[in-house]
Amino acid sequence: MEALGTNTKRRPCCICMWKTKTCNKNCEFAAYFPNEMQGVYASANKLFGTPNIIRMMKLAPQDQKPMLAFSILKEGVAWTNDKIEGGFGVIQNLMREINRLEADLSYLRKKISEEKEKKQLGLLLNK
Ligand SMILES: [Zn+2]
């Protein structure tokens, strides 16, 4: 299976599409913003603007470009879905979920501990 954006018959990447320029096979953005991500890219473009996305991508160290591209796309979606809190709202929801799950885990650990104690007491009383 080929990675997104590396196929030779591919359509132009999202950045080349927005800039209405030819997307050649050596396009530096094709691997990060393949044509298949147009819908998601539209949100990122609305938030940052393609010139700023290009600037950010060019300034990022090579090894961090995949994470930056992923982050740009996720921020775009977050702001499209929640125009007040954007990515912060996503983080807050995840924090609430973590807190809820930690409370559940704590409750379950306490229950397990209580059951172990009951079992040990039962074993001691049956001797
Ligand atoms: Zn391109």
Side-chain angles (χ1 to χ4, degrees), residues 57-97:
M57 289 299 290
K58 285 186 184 266
L59 289 173
Q62 189 62 36
D63 64 327
Q64 294 179 8
K65 286 184 185 205
M67 182 54 73
L68 175 61
F70 183 75
S71 178
I72 287 169
L73 294 172
K74 284 290 184 186
E75 280 290 328
V77 170
W79 282 102
T80 297
N81 293 340
D82 184 344
K83 298 197 181 337
I84 305 297
E85 295 183 339
F88 182 67
V90 172
I91 291 169
Q92 280 192 316
N93 286 336
L94 290 171
M95 293 298 287
R96 277 192 285 270
E97 182 73 5

Side-chain angles (χ1 to χ4, degrees), residues 14-83:
C14 297
I15 287 183
C16 291
M17 273 189 62
W18 280 90
K19 292 194 75 175
T20 58
K21 68 172 210 168
T22 306
C23 185
N24 64 41
K25 68 177 184 173
N26 298 322
C27 175
E28 64 186 302
F29 306 112
Y32 309 113
F33 306 104
N35 185 282
E36 296 83 353
M37 300 185 107
Q38 281 181 58
V40 176
Y41 184 81
S43 298
N45 180 55
K46 193 173 175 184
L47 178 64
F48 297 109
T50 294
N52 288 326
I53 292 172
I54 291 170
R55 197 171 303 120
M56 288 188 280
M57 289 299 290
K58 285 186 184 266
L59 289 173
Q62 189 62 36
D63 64 327
Q64 294 179 8
K65 286 184 185 205
M67 182 54 73
L68 175 61
F70 183 75
S71 178
I72 287 169
L73 294 172
K74 284 290 184 186
E75 280 290 328
V77 170
W79 282 102
T80 297
N81 293 340
D82 184 344
K83 298 197 181 337

